[in-house]
Amino acid sequence: MKLVLLGAPGAGKGTQAEKISAKYSLKHISTGDIFRANIKGGTPIGKLAKSYIDAGKLVPDDVTCEIVKSAVQGADDYMLDGFPRNVYQAEKLDGFAQVDICLNLEVDKALLMDRICGRRMCVCGASYHVSRLNGSEVCAKCGKPLYRREDDNPETVEKRLETYESQTAPLIDYYGAQGKLKTIICGDKSPEEVFAAVCEVLDSL
Ligand code: AMP
């Protein structure tokens, strides 16, 4: 299965991706994670990506598409989290992979800003909202210190949401027209409730 996970920043893609890849044995390919690892490692790709990420813009398409092309090489079952991000990338993807399904996580826009700005991450992949941490600054799963993503600040988030609306949201129609779109209305459901809805869709395929 080749799955595309679509959703605005803060929709919960990362959280659902962890659960989906564990249950359905899909390789989890997150372009955001790949860029962050490159930034941490100080690679040329990381240096290039940082300026775009800090500005809430998309990293150039050709760099991003090449990264994904090599990440999927040799894998039959995978989930793309954060890719494609625009129609150009989706068309490129169609040139080297046969997407089976696009899961679209739909969340009320009014919730997104608060969700992202209150988000705290752990290196193990877990993420939390400050309002549920009761002052704790460590991960409940592994005990490591939590941190805030550099691009999770109000100005950058504003830009990221605009980028999503103008460039990424058109993919809803793109995959809809291909008959591959499944939308999960998340509202303010818990991650577990959203995952149950995701499983219902995936189990019915
Ligand atoms: P994410 O972790 O998916 O929220 O991605 C963080 C940032 O990485 C985004 O705001 C973009 O700047 C960049 N990025 C991630 N995926 C892509 C992509 N498919 N195309 C271009 N830029 C991306």
Side-chain angles (χ1 to χ4, degrees):
M1 176 161 50
K2 295 172 182 53
L3 189 156
V4 164
L5 198 54
L6 191 63
K13 294 191 298 295
T15 303
Q16 294 304 318
E18 294 275 324
K19 293 176 182 289
I20 295 168
S21 68
K23 176 162 179 182
Y24 296 94
S25 307
L26 298 178
K27 180 178 180 189
H28 177 195
I29 299 167
S30 157
T31 39
D33 284 351
I34 294 172
F35 289 135
R36 282 184 287 278
N38 275 277
I39 291 172
K40 210 169 167 191
T43 70
I45 286 178
K47 285 183 185 134
L48 171 86
K50 187 169 172 18
S51 57
Y52 292 92
I53 292 177
D54 287 349
K57 293 182 183 163
L58 296 183
V59 177
D61 287 331
D62 290 336
V63 175
T64 309
C65 291
E66 278 310 310
I67 285 174
V68 174
K69 202 171 174 182
S70 58
V72 302
Q73 220 153 38
D76 285 330
D77 300 300
Y78 52 81
M79 172 181 33
L80 296 172
D81 163 7
F83 182 92
R85 240 11 190 248
N86 58 27
V87 170
Y88 178 86
Q89 293 182 3
E91 287 171 348
K92 281 274 174 189
L93 177 62
D94 283 343
F96 60 81
Q98 173 83 45
V99 171
D100 297 299
I101 176 171
C102 171
L103 264 186
N104 173 36
L105 302 181
E106 205 169 280
V107 172
D108 199 343
K109 275 186 215 123
L111 294 174
L112 295 173
M113 180 62 89
D114 171 64
R115 274 199 184 186
I116 312 177
C117 292
R119 180 160 69 177
R120 297 294 179 269
M121 316 291 298
C122 177
V123 285
C124 78
S127 80
Y128 302 87
H129 191 273
V130 272
S131 63
R132 300 214 182 118
L133 283 169
N134 294 321
S136 168
E137 291 175 2
V138 295
C139 177
K141 291 186 182 154
C142 72
K144 299 228 169 74
L146 298 175
Y147 66 93
R148 186 179 183 185
R149 260 172 61 170
E150 262 188 54
D151 57 345
D152 281 355
N153 64 77
E155 301 84 66
T156 311
V157 172
E158 192 95 39
K159 284 276 174 343
R160 287 162 64 199
L161 292 173
E162 278 170 30
T163 303
Y164 172 80
E165 278 307 322
S166 61
Q167 302 199 44
T168 311
L171 293 177
I172 295 172
D173 285 343
Y174 182 89
Y175 285 110
Q178 293 188 0
K180 293 176 179 169
L181 186 77
K182 299 277 182 197
T183 293
I184 311 278
I185 308 288
C186 304
D188 63 353
K189 287 188 190 134
S190 69
E192 291 70 29
E193 287 169 319
V194 172
F195 186 55
V198 166
C199 293
E200 210 171 295
V201 168
L202 295 182
D203 290 342
S204 71
L205 293 177

